[in-house]
Amino acid sequence: MKTPFLDKVNSPADIKNMPLSDLTALAEEIRYGVINHSNLVGGHFGGDLGIVEATIALHYVFNSPKDKFIFDVSHQCYPHKMLTGRKGAFLDPLNHMEITGYTNPNESEHDFFTIGHTSTSVSLACGMAKARDLKGEKYNVVAIIGDGSLSGGEALEGLNNGAVLNSNFIVLVNDNDMCIAPTNGGLYKGLAELRATNGQSDKNIFKAMGYEYAYVEDGNNIEKMIEALEKVKDTNKPTVLHIHTLKGKGFKPAEENKEPYHWIMPGMADGKVYDFGETYDTLMTNYLLEKKKQDNTVIAVSPATPGICAFTPEFRAKMGANYTDVDIAEQHAVGYVSGLAANGAKPVLAIHSSFVQRAYDQLSQDLAINKAPATIIVCWGAIGANDVTHLTIFDIPLIINIPNIVYLAPTDKEEYLAMLDWSVEQTEHPVVIRAPYGAVVSSGQKDTTDYGRLNKSKVTHKGTKIALIGAGNFYHLAKNVHAEIKNKFGIEATLINPVYLSGLDTELLESLKQDHDIVLTFEDGCVAGGYGEKIASFYGATSMKVLNYGAAKEFTDRVSIAELYGRYHLTPELVCADLVKLLK
Amino acid sequence: MKTPFLDKVNSPADIKNMPLSDLTALAEEIRYGVINHSNLVGGHFGGDLGIVEATIALHYVFNSPKDKFIFDVSHQCYPHKMLTGRKGAFLDPLNHMEITGYTNPNESEHDFFTIGHTSTSVSLACGMAKARDLKGEKYNVVAIIGDGSLSGGEALEGLNNGAVLNSNFIVLVNDNDMCIAPTNGGLYKGLAELRATNGQSDKNIFKAMGYEYAYVEDGNNIEKMIEALEKVKDTNKPTVLHIHTLKGKGFKPAEENKEPYHWIMPGMADGKVYDFGETYDTLMTNYLLEKKKQDNTVIAVSPATPGICAFTPEFRAKMGANYTDVDIAEQHAVGYVSGLAANGAKPVLAIHSSFVQRAYDQLSQDLAINKAPATIIVCWGAIGANDVTHLTIFDIPLIINIPNIVYLAPTDKEEYLAMLDWSVEQTEHPVVIRAPYGAVVSSGQKDTTDYGRLNKSKVTHKGTKIALIGAGNFYHLAKNVHAEIKNKFGIEATLINPVYLSGLDTELLESLKQDHDIVLTFEDGCVAGGYGEKIASFYGATSMKVLNYGAAKEFTDRVSIAELYGRYHLTPELVCADLVKLLK
């Protein structure tokens, strides 16, 4: 597709004098850029398609970067990127990797934060506005937040505080009546009433907090958006502009079926269908569906991210009242399952490794101190996640240093299912299970382990001199290192599946002192604060040598797994190279 | 004071048939119990005095424990405790220590959770109610939450989800127009309008979320409260009962000056005045006041806990627009200071060690990934906090495993002030400073260290064989151990102030290998995930012996510091006893 209008736009200044007809044509070209880019490399899709016109209007009315736009979660920043000098990445396949999928100050002076978690924009913008006031400067600060992100605690906390700024502070609520999946809570009933009444309903959470309020029913109409933004521009009062847009706008399948087109993988816009067959996620959902047939107190819970763990629309329909999507609300999710478990239900909360960190306090206070026997599945925990805001290496240090929580690391299908069933049925411990990541591995043998014997590791191969402790996903790495050690040094080493990340098998560790000199630990996460350091500390006063393998404490952005594995010595060859020095 | 009415009450059943006049007399006796108990051992005061009548009405109308009361933060559970078999602790000085200051399932079947952090009740109650529905049971579930706790993200997330429970779910909002300090945000302007209009204002956040809503202006009137509760009892819809009570009710000084009587120390009800003179907190506030005179971008921020760090009413008045109390909103507070710093202001957020954990995700995403050069002071971090919900040992593992954050541990007045000034003025790093805890120690010498040379430790005594690394508060412990080692073993050991908790001085650690065999680490917090384990891991492949001292990974409740220090070997004598084995 040719993009004659977008071709003329190198910065927002270039659209200021465009007539409306050109802006409308520009919108279609931007839409093409979204589809083209996402289809090629994967990316956020429906939200970006819906916010095209609003973004054009924002850049038409305001003067970025003097006026500051802060995009919440920045899943909807592609049109903004195209208008601020980064269109090449969307139009030319050779340049697709030049940009990140999120706002990024390193890319452009029009971006102020690297953002990938929801519900932060209001707080960040509130701080920006307050700094402006302290400095005696004048400009607009605009937080742009989707309805889906509004339910997150930080957004609501930010709205509370932003309401009393007593100066220019604009919150653009981009309401497309969807989170990733449909929204559910009372907040959303209120937004629905506002949409149904053209913004006139009394049930207005923004007005209740003291905001000036305006509503635009057709947020995909550039002219109406310009008109509405002109009215709020340079306001001296905290103001909410609530606009209604169509998620997936302009791409029929996405308009009609919003959930699968929130984020797409390469080729999906061309109709490519992905089928991953049996995964650790479907094993879990099938388990829950069977369990629920026998026990109506079993309940699955998601904080608005059902797609990360095969909580599909079909699964949700079958679970019925035994499924709760609490909206984006990780803190509440943990409090909620704590309450469920305390009152005798059997909740299973599935949560992404990078988002579980929003609920540290609730894990500690609501769950762990109260020993609520809920089950939490941490999904996608592994070294190698692509984007800096979505790294999945911190859940181990986050969780294992909280007392009372049992954190299990299954290594295959049978272990995972056995741990899940043990956890759901037991009533003494808060249990977190780190779902294995990647292709399903099966031992083919039913696992009859009693996981109530806390901190009991499994010695899967008894040897001497060197012991390898491989947790979860990295049990398999340890197994490969084990083979390489035999091959390279002729040493029959000991191989251990620690099973528990949250506690040490001190009896086993003591016994290793008899005929081992070296212990290697492997964890598929950040070493700092993690499992391996505890082994090093345990042996601190002895002559046992300990090497800890895992990720370094660093934020990595779009670094390939191969590069990270090389950097962290996570291959049998590199581990053996380290061992050469120790074995001298 | 005699308590003839309370004497007759051993369980809630005993008040069911009391005439109103007796209930009124009972209220005065309960009030006496609150004052008596708090004055003797310290305790939450104003909130408990305000909720006496509402609690009597709750137990009169509902049938606890079949009906479930979940008290938010449980700072207002004393009257509830007195009505549920625990009055002895409030009336008899000999029994004062029999109870905790919070709800506690180990004490009574009328308590369901151990709670001490705010804003959790709605989520916990929501889970309880859902479990009830899954089990097909019938009873009332009532969350009792103060207006101050409402601004916390988890409470708002919980309200959103609770609104669609579609069954019995009652939220009693106890609005005394105060948090610990005055409330500030838009939410509170809305509540004020509801109070001013006898609940009739359109600005109603609860109705906006779909709740049934009722208002009681005189929440200290037992008869009116009974009437209102009778109306909502057995409702089949999520319902908010908003009541207006007087914080400090019945104790004139507390009614007139609410903030200092939120929580009192022993004797304060008798007029005892505490003056701690110069503290690390006043050093910080004096610094900020001076700094603000020179630089209007300096701004102090508190998440509704100004009392923990000498943000007194006088300090706040002097800071004026350069002080923000964001209400209870730790997540927003971190997002807000990130935004402030990103836009060129110099924010200093002071936060309690136990509450900073509510903002882990914001510390990682809003602050650290964005390298926002904000300053965060973690207050009260030390082993020995009394109550299980307020332990102050987890901030080190929480923070030091996040990349990009510089976590500093000053050991005395001069270091603290120098670090504070360096942090406020620098523009490259997110900085957290662990305020020293306890009596002010002064070196008497101005500290001219350049803290921009990250991870550079200070060797304060150069010796051989044994190196002691004492962080922050525990530098002084390490110094005492150093002396005892000299005394006992005749060894002139090396003493190190690591300065940075967030990174190792690897050059120094390498050099220790030459003439040291043993390294001892001391940190005033939990060892698991903390600083010392990193030293153990660093030396893992060497023959250096490492012992890590600090708290064990456990929740302790009301255990004396002396007992904890004994348990964790945190005295020179106990450390030397450990050393005897190593020095053989």
Side-chain angles (χ1 to χ4, degrees):
Chain A
M1 179 173 157
K2 295 208 168 170
T3 54
F5 295 94
L6 192 49
D7 290 348
K8 286 184 276 186
V9 181
N10 294 308
S11 84
D14 298 323
I15 70 167
K16 301 280 181 195
N17 297 315
M18 277 191 182
L20 188 63
S21 58
D22 289 11
L23 293 175
T24 306
L26 179 66
E28 289 319 303
E29 295 176 10
I30 290 176
R31 196 156 265 129
Y32 161 75
V34 170
I35 296 169
N36 184 50
H37 178 76
S38 302
N39 193 46
L40 201 73
V41 297
H44 285 94
F45 195 71
D48 279 300
L49 291 175
I51 204 168
V52 172
E53 289 79 8
T55 308
I56 292 172
L58 280 164
H59 278 292
Y60 184 89
V61 172
F62 293 99
N63 297 305
S64 174
K66 189 185 180 205
D67 293 323
K68 320 288 183 207
F69 300 148
I70 296 100
F71 288 88
D72 201 273
V73 72
S74 73
H75 286 175
Q76 74 299 60
C77 67
Y78 295 173
H80 165 75
K81 289 200 176 194
M82 278 185 255
L83 294 174
T84 52
R86 290 167 278 181
K87 62 187 174 189
F90 293 86
L91 301 177
D92 183 346
L94 294 175
N95 297 332
H96 272 302
M97 300 312 287
E98 276 183 358
I99 57 151
T100 72
Y102 306 89
T103 55
N104 188 331
N106 297 327
E107 281 178 12
S108 169
E109 62 176 352
H110 297 273
D111 294 3
F112 302 96
F113 299 97
T114 299
I115 298 181
H117 282 199
T118 67
S119 316
T120 71
S121 63
V122 181
S123 291
L124 294 169
C126 187
M128 299 272 284
K130 179 71 180 178
R132 172 201 62 200
D133 296 346
L134 291 174
K135 293 188 288 179
E137 298 171 345
K138 296 277 171 207
Y139 44 76
N140 293 274
V141 175
V142 187
I144 296 141
I145 181 168
D147 56 321
S149 292
L150 268 185
S151 59
E154 188 183 359
L156 295 164
E157 289 178 357
L159 281 174
N160 175 53
N161 187 215
V164 293
L165 263 177
N166 206 22
S167 63
N168 176 280
F169 183 58
I170 300 167
V171 181
L172 179 75
V173 175
N174 174 37
D175 182 354
N176 60 24
D177 191 18
M178 279 294 281
C179 194
I180 298 175
T183 52
N184 303 282
L187 177 59
Y188 297 101
K189 309 300 173 207
L191 292 185
E193 284 210 24
L194 285 168
R195 291 196 306 273
T197 59
N198 199 30
Q200 300 303 304
S201 169
D202 281 343
K203 295 189 177 173
N204 187 320
I205 191 171
F206 309 112
K207 283 190 178 175
M209 283 187 164
Y211 282 84
E212 300 288 308
Y213 174 84
Y215 179 75
V216 179
E217 168 57 22
D218 190 357
N220 291 106
N221 180 312
I222 297 178
E223 191 175 11
K224 296 234 167 93
M225 279 304 305
I226 289 174
E227 195 183 312
L229 290 170
E230 293 281 12
K231 277 188 195 153
V232 301
K233 186 182 178 184
D234 299 329
T235 176
N236 60 9
K237 286 181 184 159
T239 300
V240 166
L241 181 63
H242 177 193
I243 70 170
H244 183 197
T245 61
L246 180 63
K247 190 166 185 174
K249 168 92 176 171
F251 190 80
K252 265 278 172 279
E255 286 184 15
E256 287 166 1
N257 199 1
K258 297 184 172 69
E259 186 172 336
Y261 289 94
H262 171 78
W263 185 85
I264 65 169
M265 285 184 287
M268 274 178 63
D270 284 340
K272 182 168 177 181
V273 176
Y274 287 83
D275 180 1
F276 298 102
E278 183 184 77
T279 66
Y280 284 111
D281 297 330
T282 61
L283 287 169
M284 189 248 299
T285 52
N286 286 334
Y287 166 82
L288 288 172
L289 287 169
E290 281 306 307
K291 199 80 187 169
K292 181 227 160 191
K293 286 182 194 162
Q294 306 151 29
D295 186 341
N296 195 51
T297 67
V298 171
I299 175 169
V301 179
S302 173
T305 45
I308 62 151
C309 56
F311 285 178
T312 61
E314 297 70 32
F315 169 81
R316 280 133 53 185
K318 283 184 189 163
M319 291 297 280
N322 297 65
Y323 173 76
T324 306
D325 181 337
V326 297
D327 297 322
I328 288 176
E330 291 84 1
Q331 301 180 95
H332 167 68
V334 173
Y336 179 62
V337 298
S338 302
L340 277 159
N343 202 12
K346 297 172 178 173
V348 176
L349 165 66
I351 189 164
H352 187 280
S353 162
S354 183
F355 304 148
V356 71
Q357 63 192 41
R358 306 205 100 162
Y360 176 90
D361 189 59
Q362 289 71 28
L363 290 169
S364 176
Q365 299 273 322
D366 298 2
L367 186 81
I369 287 177
N370 286 290
K371 292 194 175 180
T375 303
I376 297 178
I377 310 290
V378 169
C379 304
W380 297 27
I383 295 169
N386 199 47
D387 297 290
V388 66
T389 52
H390 287 69
L391 299 179
T392 47
I393 60 171
F394 298 113
D395 58 277
I396 298 176
L398 190 89
I399 291 167
I400 68 171
N401 299 311
I402 301 174
N404 291 0
I405 293 180
V406 176
Y407 198 4
L408 291 160
T411 65
D412 63 25
K413 169 179 171 172
E414 289 77 10
E415 270 195 335
Y416 185 32
L417 290 172
M419 287 170 176
L420 195 50
D421 195 54
W422 169 75
S423 177
V424 167
E425 290 299 337
Q426 60 83 38
T427 57
E428 287 178 55
H429 311 285
V431 176
V432 185
I433 304 175
R434 200 174 203 236
Y437 188 70
V440 173
V441 175
S442 169
S443 69
Q445 294 185 313
K446 187 170 164 62
D447 180 5
T448 57
T449 310
D450 172 12
Y451 289 103
R453 285 187 66 194
L454 294 189
N455 303 333
K456 181 80 184 149
S457 297
K458 298 177 184 172
V459 178
T460 55
H461 192 99
K462 180 78 186 84
T464 56
K465 289 188 181 161
I466 301 172
L468 297 92
I469 306 181
N473 306 325
F474 273 11
Y475 173 73
H476 306 288
L477 169 60
K479 202 171 166 183
N480 292 339
V481 175
H482 184 268
E484 181 76 4
I485 288 174
K486 171 107 190 239
N487 178 39
K488 192 146 192 171
F489 305 112
I491 295 172
E492 193 77 36
T494 294
L495 181 61
I496 296 167
N497 168 4
V499 182
Y500 301 83
L501 292 164
S502 45
L504 304 184
D505 187 341
T506 52
E507 198 183 318
L508 172 64
L509 295 178
E510 282 294 341
S511 76
L512 292 180
K513 289 180 189 170
Q514 292 165 18
D515 46 6
H516 292 75
D517 311 311
I518 299 172
V519 171
L520 310 179
T521 69
F522 301 88
E523 61 200 297
D524 200 358
C526 185
V527 166
Y531 178 79
E533 286 184 349
K534 284 163 186 61
I535 302 284
S537 180
F538 177 85
Y539 286 122
T542 77
S543 56
M544 185 75 85
K545 304 279 192 292
V546 179
L547 291 182
N548 300 138
Y549 289 91
K553 186 182 100 172
E554 61 175 347
F555 288 125
T556 57
D557 200 17
R558 301 182 301 155
V559 180
S560 71
I561 293 184
E563 185 174 334
L564 291 175
Y565 274 35
R567 189 185 294 175
Y568 306 145
H569 292 206
L570 300 176
T571 67
E573 295 69 29
L574 290 166
V575 174
C576 284
D578 293 340
L579 272 176
V580 167
K581 299 171 210 159
L582 274 190
L583 289 169
K584 270 181 198 163
Chain B
M1 177 174 159
K2 295 208 169 171
T3 54
F5 294 93
L6 192 49
D7 290 349
K8 285 185 276 186
V9 181
N10 294 308
S11 83
D14 298 324
I15 71 168
K16 300 280 180 193
N17 297 315
M18 277 191 180
L20 188 63
S21 58
D22 288 11
L23 294 175
T24 306
L26 179 66
E28 289 319 303
E29 294 177 10
I30 289 174
R31 197 154 262 130
Y32 161 75
V34 171
I35 297 168
N36 184 51
H37 178 76
S38 302
N39 194 47
L40 201 72
V41 296
H44 284 96
F45 195 71
D48 278 301
L49 290 174
I51 205 168
V52 171
E53 289 79 8
T55 308
I56 292 172
L58 279 164
H59 278 293
Y60 185 88
V61 172
F62 292 99
N63 295 306
S64 173
K66 189 187 179 203
D67 293 323
K68 320 288 183 206
F69 300 148
I70 295 101
F71 288 88
D72 202 273
V73 75
S74 71
H75 285 175
Q76 73 299 56
C77 67
Y78 296 172
H80 165 75
K81 289 200 176 195
M82 278 186 255
L83 294 174
T84 53
R86 291 167 278 181
K87 62 188 174 187
F90 293 87
L91 301 177
D92 184 344
L94 293 176
N95 297 332
H96 272 302
M97 299 313 286
E98 277 182 359
I99 58 153
T100 72
Y102 306 90
T103 55
N104 189 330
N106 296 327
E107 280 179 10
S108 168
E109 59 174 355
H110 297 274
D111 294 4
F112 302 97
F113 300 97
T114 298
I115 298 180
H117 282 199
T118 66
S119 316
T120 71
S121 63
V122 180
S123 291
L124 295 170
C126 187
M128 300 273 284
K130 179 71 181 178
R132 171 202 62 200
D133 296 347
L134 290 174
K135 293 188 286 177
E137 297 172 346
K138 296 275 171 206
Y139 44 79
N140 293 273
V141 174
V142 187
I144 297 142
I145 181 166
D147 57 322
S149 292
L150 268 186
S151 61
E154 188 183 0
L156 295 163
E157 290 178 355
L159 281 174
N160 175 54
N161 187 213
V164 293
L165 265 177
N166 205 22
S167 63
N168 176 282
F169 182 58
I170 300 166
V171 180
L172 180 77
V173 175
N174 174 37
D175 182 355
N176 59 27
D177 192 18
M178 279 293 281
C179 193
I180 297 174
T183 52
N184 303 283
L187 177 61
Y188 297 102
K189 308 301 173 205
L191 292 184
E193 284 210 25
L194 285 168
R195 292 195 305 274
T197 59
N198 199 31
Q200 300 303 304
S201 169
D202 280 343
K203 296 189 178 173
N204 186 320
I205 191 171
F206 309 113
K207 282 190 179 175
M209 284 188 164
Y211 282 85
E212 300 288 308
Y213 174 83
Y215 179 76
V216 178
E217 168 58 21
D218 189 357
N220 292 106
N221 180 313
I222 296 176
E223 192 176 7
K224 295 232 166 97
M225 279 304 304
I226 289 174
E227 197 183 312
L229 289 170
E230 294 281 11
K231 278 188 195 152
V232 300
K233 186 182 178 183
D234 299 329
T235 178
N236 57 8
K237 287 181 184 160
T239 300
V240 166
L241 180 65
H242 178 193
I243 70 171
H244 183 197
T245 62
L246 181 63
K247 191 166 183 173
K249 168 91 175 171
F251 190 80
K252 264 278 172 281
E255 286 184 16
E256 287 167 359
N257 199 2
K258 296 184 173 68
E259 186 172 336
Y261 288 94
H262 171 80
W263 183 86
I264 66 169
M265 286 184 285
M268 274 179 63
D270 286 340
K272 182 168 177 180
V273 175
Y274 287 83
D275 180 0
F276 297 102
E278 183 183 77
T279 66
Y280 284 110
D281 296 328
T282 61
L283 287 168
M284 189 250 298
T285 52
N286 287 335
Y287 166 82
L288 288 172
L289 287 169
E290 280 308 306
K291 198 81 188 170
K292 181 227 158 188
K293 285 181 195 163
Q294 306 151 29
D295 185 342
N296 195 49
T297 68
V298 171
I299 175 168
V301 179
S302 173
T305 45
I308 62 150
C309 56
F311 285 177
T312 60
E314 298 70 31
F315 169 81
R316 281 134 51 184
K318 282 183 190 163
M319 291 296 280
N322 298 66
Y323 173 76
T324 306
D325 181 336
V326 297
D327 298 322
I328 289 177
E330 291 84 1
Q331 301 181 94
H332 167 67
V334 173
Y336 179 62
V337 297
S338 302
L340 278 159
N343 202 12
K346 298 174 178 172
V348 177
L349 165 65
I351 190 164
H352 187 281
S353 162
S354 183
F355 304 148
V356 73
Q357 64 191 42
R358 305 205 99 161
Y360 175 91
D361 189 59
Q362 290 70 28
L363 290 169
S364 176
Q365 298 273 323
D366 299 1
L367 186 81
I369 287 177
N370 287 289
K371 291 194 174 180
T375 303
I376 298 178
I377 311 289
V378 169
C379 304
W380 296 28
I383 295 168
N386 200 46
D387 296 290
V388 67
T389 52
H390 288 69
L391 299 180
T392 49
I393 60 171
F394 298 113
D395 59 275
I396 298 177
L398 191 88
I399 292 167
I400 69 171
N401 298 311
I402 301 174
N404 292 359
I405 294 180
V406 176
Y407 198 3
L408 291 160
T411 65
D412 64 25
K413 169 178 172 172
E414 289 77 10
E415 269 196 335
Y416 185 33
L417 289 172
M419 288 173 176
L420 195 50
D421 196 52
W422 168 76
S423 177
V424 166
E425 290 299 338
Q426 61 83 39
T427 57
E428 289 178 53
H429 310 285
V431 176
V432 186
I433 304 175
R434 199 175 205 236
Y437 189 71
V440 172
V441 176
S442 169
S443 69
Q445 293 184 314
K446 187 172 164 61
D447 180 5
T448 58
T449 310
D450 171 11
Y451 289 104
R453 285 187 66 193
L454 295 190
N455 303 331
K456 182 80 185 148
S457 297
K458 298 177 184 173
V459 178
T460 56
H461 192 97
K462 179 77 187 83
T464 56
K465 289 187 180 163
I466 302 172
L468 298 91
I469 307 180
N473 305 325
F474 272 11
Y475 173 75
H476 306 288
L477 169 60
K479 202 170 167 184
N480 292 338
V481 175
H482 184 267
E484 181 75 4
I485 287 173
K486 171 108 191 236
N487 179 39
K488 192 145 191 172
F489 306 111
I491 296 173
E492 194 77 37
T494 293
L495 182 61
I496 297 166
N497 168 5
V499 182
Y500 301 84
L501 292 165
S502 45
L504 303 185
D505 187 340
T506 52
E507 198 182 319
L508 173 63
L509 295 178
E510 281 294 340
S511 76
L512 292 180
K513 290 180 187 171
Q514 291 164 17
D515 47 4
H516 293 74
D517 311 312
I518 298 172
V519 171
L520 309 179
T521 69
F522 301 88
E523 62 201 296
D524 201 359
C526 186
V527 167
Y531 178 78
E533 287 184 349
K534 286 166 183 58
I535 302 284
S537 179
F538 177 85
Y539 286 122
T542 76
S543 57
M544 185 76 85
K545 302 279 193 293
V546 179
L547 292 182
N548 301 138
Y549 289 91
K553 185 181 101 173
E554 61 175 347
F555 288 126
T556 56
D557 198 18
R558 300 181 303 153
V559 181
S560 73
I561 295 184
E563 185 175 335
L564 291 175
Y565 274 36
R567 188 185 295 177
Y568 306 146
H569 291 205
L570 301 175
T571 68
E573 296 70 26
L574 290 167
V575 174
C576 285
D578 294 338
L579 272 177
V580 166
K581 297 172 213 158
L582 275 190
L583 290 169
K584 268 181 201 164

